[in-house]
């Protein structure tokens, strides 16, 4: 989480940028109001307002722990030995983690009780910057089409149903995640588990909703093989 201070006119706001990419305003301060010492519930650092200055000063602190070190707690695994392997297990890329978070959000938007392969597919497209998402869009697999096919296949949820904050993974979705990590280990190439591994994991679950939706939109084994050639790259720098 990175915190920055935004000043607009006579109002100062402390904005926190989380790993999911969302921003949350933790403090909104007006220079006409004098505030005493407070504690930020997001940063855990005191906020002071000296008597000689009306603007509050926020001590900023970056977390020393890299985002990737918490990956195994963010992306679940059905293999208990992987939980205890620590640094030996490959880490997920930031784009893959964000895709997973966006998948949970898509499941909640659709009011689905679970996070399935179909919402994992949506999460990849919502994240939008990975090679996997760009490959999908180039081949006609757009987010709107995936949502439409999902509703056709699985139907609409009850309007009065509310999804949990973190919808649990379906069995095919969990197998897709573990498949992605296994394929990374088999490759013997150092680096992170990418969004491409995640997409290929969805494709590997032949009976899953995600696979059926991809197939209905023209994705096939040939395209999967083409995509697999760059499985260890999550993005491509373009200087043009």
């Amino acid at each position: 989480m990175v915190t920055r201070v935004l000043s607009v006119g006579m109002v100062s706001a402390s904005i926190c940028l989380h790993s999911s990419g969302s921003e949350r305003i933790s403090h909104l301060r007006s220079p006409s109001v004098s505030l005493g010492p407070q504690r930020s519930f997001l940063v855990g650092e005191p906020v002071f307002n000296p008597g000689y200055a009306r603007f509050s000063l926020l001590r900023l602190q970056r977390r020393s722990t890299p985002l990737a070190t918490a990956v195994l707690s963010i992306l679940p695994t059905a293999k208990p030995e992987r939980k205890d392997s620590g640094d030996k297990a490959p880490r997920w890329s930031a784009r893959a983690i964000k895709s997973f978070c966006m998948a949970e959000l898509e499941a909640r938007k659709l009011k689905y009780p679970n996070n399935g392969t179909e919402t994992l597919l949506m999460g990849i497209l919502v994240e939008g910057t990975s090679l996997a998402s760009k490959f999908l869009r180039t081949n006609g697999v757009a987010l709107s089409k995936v949502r439409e096919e999902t509703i056709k296949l699985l139907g609409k949820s009850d309007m009065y149903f509310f999804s949990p904050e973190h919808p649990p993974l379906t069995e095919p979705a969990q197998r897709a995640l573990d498949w992605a990590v296994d394929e990374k280990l088999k490759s013997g190439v150092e680096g992170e588990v990418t969004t491409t591994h995640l997409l290929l994991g969805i494709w590997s679950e032949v009976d899953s909703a995600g696979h059926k939706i991809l197939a209905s939109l023209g994705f096939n084994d040939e395209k999967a093989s083409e995509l697999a050639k760059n499985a260890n790259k999550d993005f491509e720098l373009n200087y043009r």
Side-chain angles (χ1 to χ4, degrees), residues 14 26 46 50 52 55 62 88 93 127 137 150 165 168 175 177 186 190 193:
S14 168
S26 60
Y52 61 85
F55 283 98
R62 291 178 182 270
K88 295 179 182 178
S93 70
E127 189 280 326
R137 290 197 302 271
T150 297
E165 184 177 359
R175 288 196 298 268
L177 289 180
K186 286 178 187 176
E190 292 185 1
V193 185

Side-chain angles (χ1 to χ4, degrees), residues 167-215:
L169 286 165
T170 60
E171 289 186 12
Q174 182 61 78
R175 288 196 298 268
L177 289 180
D178 287 326
W179 184 96
V181 177
D182 290 339
E183 283 302 303
K184 179 62 182 180
L185 290 170
K186 286 178 187 176
S187 72
V189 179
E190 292 185 1
E192 299 172 319
V193 185
T194 66
T195 316
T196 300
H197 289 114
L198 177 57
L199 177 57
L200 294 173
I202 295 169
W203 183 247
S204 72
E205 289 295 314
V206 180
D207 295 325
S208 69
H211 181 100
K212 292 175 182 176
I213 291 166
L214 281 169

Side-chain angles (χ1 to χ4, degrees), residues 105-199:
L105 183 59
E106 288 299 310
R108 293 175 65 191
K109 282 181 182 178
L110 291 169
K111 294 181 178 288
Y112 282 176
N114 298 101
N115 186 6
T117 52
E118 69 287 345
T119 47
L120 287 177
L121 177 57
M122 291 182 211
I124 292 172
L125 289 164
V126 172
E127 189 280 326
T129 66
S130 66
L131 283 177
S133 63
K134 291 176 181 178
F135 184 88
L136 288 173
R137 290 197 302 271
T138 301
N139 287 276
V141 182
L143 178 60
S144 58
K145 292 180 181 179
V146 172
R147 283 179 179 152
E148 189 178 316
E149 291 297 321
T150 297
I151 292 172
K152 282 182 185 177
L153 185 64
L154 302 178
K156 291 184 177 180
S157 183
D158 189 291
M159 65 179 296
Y160 297 108
F161 176 80
F162 291 95
S163 302
E165 184 177 359
H166 298 289
L169 286 165
T170 60
E171 289 186 12
Q174 182 61 78
R175 288 196 298 268
L177 289 180
D178 287 326
W179 184 96
V181 177
D182 290 339
E183 283 302 303
K184 179 62 182 180
L185 290 170
K186 286 178 187 176
S187 72
V189 179
E190 292 185 1
E192 299 172 319
V193 185
T194 66
T195 316
T196 300
H197 289 114
L198 177 57
L199 177 57

Side-chain angles (χ1 to χ4, degrees), residues 79-99:
K79 300 186 176 184
E81 69 276 7
R82 191 164 287 158
K83 296 177 183 178
D84 302 326
S85 60
D87 293 336
K88 295 179 182 178
R91 297 171 177 175
W92 287 87
S93 70
R95 285 174 172 81
I97 295 170
K98 186 176 180 181
S99 296

